[in-house]
Amino acid sequence: MNATKPTHRIRRGRLEVAIWENDSKNGIFYRAKFSRSFRDGEGKLQNSSSFSRPELAELALLAIQAEDWMRTTERSKNPEGAEPAEETSEAAAA
């Protein structure tokens, strides 16, 4: 697990989901963080976690792709393909 970089990223235009790997006593599980890139008034690249109405359909597609990647990867990394119970503590989040 690398705490400074996501394990996997999926992009659709300006939208991105960054997937972070977490380790628990039950095995590996993942969390997703969604963002939208934009250029500010000075032309610097920035990120936001707010989305416009037209971006929501693209965001939904990203969520489906992220869930599929997470499920497949959890099954391949955990013993006997078991999906671990997700930690509910925010401390377990990346």
Side-chain angles (χ1 to χ4, degrees), residues 48-87:
S48 175
S49 59
S50 66
F51 306 93
S52 66
R53 183 196 48 79
E55 293 169 327
L56 294 178
E58 293 296 315
L59 195 62
L61 291 173
L62 270 179
I64 290 167
Q65 290 176 324
E67 193 274 338
D68 183 55
W69 186 91
M70 292 160 82
R71 182 180 355 93
T72 301
T73 306
E74 281 175 356
R75 285 181 179 160
S76 70
K77 287 193 171 191
N78 289 308
E80 301 176 20
E83 293 186 40
E86 183 176 311
E87 296 278 327

Side-chain angles (χ1 to χ4, degrees), residues 6-69:
T7 301
H8 188 68
R9 292 177 190 263
I10 304 170
R11 292 192 64 82
R12 291 185 67 85
R14 298 181 315 143
L15 304 181
E16 176 181 272
V17 57
I19 301 172
W20 299 84
E21 185 175 285
N22 294 269
D23 224 345
S24 76
K25 63 182 177 183
N26 298 321
I28 292 171
F29 68 97
Y30 297 91
R31 291 198 182 264
K33 183 175 182 179
F34 295 87
S35 63
R36 174 181 51 84
S37 60
F38 67 96
R39 298 236 177 240
D40 65 15
E42 297 175 1
K44 293 180 183 174
L45 193 59
Q46 303 288 334
N47 287 307
S48 175
S49 59
S50 66
F51 306 93
S52 66
R53 183 196 48 79
E55 293 169 327
L56 294 178
E58 293 296 315
L59 195 62
L61 291 173
L62 270 179
I64 290 167
Q65 290 176 324
E67 193 274 338
D68 183 55
W69 186 91

